Amino acid sequence: MLRARIDMASPNMIMRDPVLFRIRRAHHYRTGSEWCIYPMYDFAHCLSDSIEGITHSLCTIEFVNNRAIYDWLLEEVEAPEPVPRQYEFARLNLEYTIVSKRKLLRLVRDGHVSGWDDPRMPTLSGLKRRGVTPAAIRNFCRLVGVAKADNRVDAAKLEYAIRDDLNMRVPRVMCVQRPLRVVVTNFPEGETDWLDAPLYPHDVPLEGTRPVPFTRELHIERHDFMEKPPRRFFRLAPGREVRLRYGYLIRCEEVVKDEAGEVTELRCTYDPATRGGSAPDGRKVRGTIHWVSAEHARPCEVRLYDRLFRTRDPDRGDFIAQLNPNSLVVHADARVEPSIAEDPPGTRYQFERVGYFISDEEDSRPDRLVYNRTVGLRDSWAKIRKQQMAREARKARGRKKKRKRGRG
């Protein structure tokens, strides 16, 4: 070990006798056993900055005391102009996330994540595999700026930056994650009606369409049907009419269940005059759902990645105990429209009404398509349902108070 004796009376402990080099006789993952002398961070940091021509060395706020030895070493070695300077800023702490390398290493070693490129990890490789673009990361950094005080940035800001970037660049397609079979009883068996659907939203200066097949048997999302729908549920229900995206208006006529009472099939009718989704007689249909053809859709696996931790500040307490058990939900029986089946891995999409996705570059193959969720879309029904549950909880508390007063 090599130390630099500077000032043993210095109030800054780092400026007394800091360690410059250490000897460690251990196997190195790059050099093996050829070298055993390693420079310490405080010694190597300033010198490598000077050699590489760095003028502004940006550090997190905990290195403010290390600036003294940074400047001292550069002065002692007579570093050439321009002499680099160290500037400290608060670390970018994101809600529901940890950025400590020591803690991230434990997540990898203990198998809580699949690796450093796991899409739930805050690493660049993890963000890339999740489908986040460099432009979205830069826009996020510009959005939050820099600060001197430690704080936690709202995770919604990162999600906003990702949506704002992908919204203007990725094509729209339809994917059903939890398929529910629909039989259109009055559509001819064995026929296919090829609909022409736009790839991009109408307000974006991009052009392109894709063919979407409409057949007698379809798949819709299981949660887009409710046998006993609550108020303000505008999706499919018995006797109710709904619009198929880019397709026709259909009406649910019959519900088929298995022996356990689970809904397995819906038998519907379609209105041939409503091709494209509008009714010539002017009748209003409020609900629009996405769908795929059961005959033409390609099977795929959809991985829904969510926040890795349940609490906003997982650095407090045992971070392992705060892991979100639902940070990864896999739908292995999903169906995606056939127009994107031949696209190369790494292609990004917006799955309509669901969110933004990327085909996994490592696991996706032509015979086994895999899509990772980058970020979800806002779900207005989920918000309404949350409000309904809150009202029901308040009513339940009110009834409980009344019973207590009655007993008193």
Side-chain angles (χ1 to χ4, degrees), residues 158-343:
L158 175 60
E159 295 171 356
Y160 165 81
I162 297 171
R163 289 192 197 98
D164 188 57
D165 173 63
L166 295 178
N167 180 51
M168 307 300 286
R169 67 165 71 194
V170 301
R172 271 64 166 159
V173 296
M174 293 188 289
C175 176
V176 173
Q177 300 177 41
R178 298 178 62 235
L180 175 60
R181 188 182 180 209
V182 172
V183 178
V184 184
T185 56
N186 62 334
F187 189 84
E189 210 168 335
E191 290 191 13
T192 301
D193 183 6
W194 289 92
L195 307 170
D196 199 30
L199 277 170
Y200 299 96
H202 298 295
D203 58 345
V204 175
L206 296 171
E207 297 180 356
T209 60
R210 86 272 189 184
V212 176
F214 181 87
T215 54
R216 181 181 174 88
E217 294 186 10
L218 311 172
H219 289 308
I220 67 169
E221 289 285 0
R222 187 166 291 274
H223 64 251
D224 278 340
F225 171 80
M226 293 187 74
E227 194 169 9
K228 297 179 180 179
R231 181 174 170 268
R232 299 179 69 185
F233 181 84
F234 302 119
R235 305 175 193 178
L236 197 58
R240 183 177 293 184
E241 203 169 33
V242 74
R243 179 184 296 103
L244 296 180
R245 184 77 163 149
Y246 311 118
Y248 297 90
L249 301 184
I250 64 171
R251 181 184 298 275
C252 180
E253 307 289 355
E254 184 182 352
V255 179
V256 180
K257 301 180 182 181
D258 60 16
E259 295 179 355
E262 182 77 14
V263 176
T264 59
E265 181 182 300
L266 304 178
R267 293 179 181 170
C268 303
T269 57
Y270 88 113
D271 185 348
T274 59
R275 194 175 195 270
S278 59
D281 58 3
R283 69 182 185 272
K284 302 295 183 181
V285 176
R286 299 189 65 175
T288 300
I289 63 175
H290 61 280
W291 55 279
V292 293
S293 164
E295 179 184 349
H296 297 85
R298 295 290 299 275
C300 64
E301 179 180 301
V302 173
R303 299 170 179 174
L304 303 181
Y305 290 100
D306 203 346
R307 295 165 182 174
L308 188 56
F309 295 93
R310 293 179 288 106
T311 56
R312 293 185 176 183
D313 188 0
D315 280 317
R316 294 184 177 181
D318 183 6
F319 71 99
I320 296 295
Q322 301 175 63
L323 284 168
N324 177 13
N326 299 315
S327 62
L328 172 58
V329 176
V330 178
H331 295 303
D333 194 33
R335 297 289 188 275
V336 68
E337 65 176 69
S339 63
I340 64 172
E342 305 303 323
D343 290 349

Side-chain angles (χ1 to χ4, degrees), residues 36 51 94 101 109 112 114 118 160 178 204 216 362:
C36 64
I51 293 169
L94 192 64
K101 293 186 290 293
R109 285 181 173 174
H112 298 293
S114 61
D118 188 294
Y160 165 81
R178 298 178 62 235
V204 175
R216 181 181 174 88
E362 293 188 18

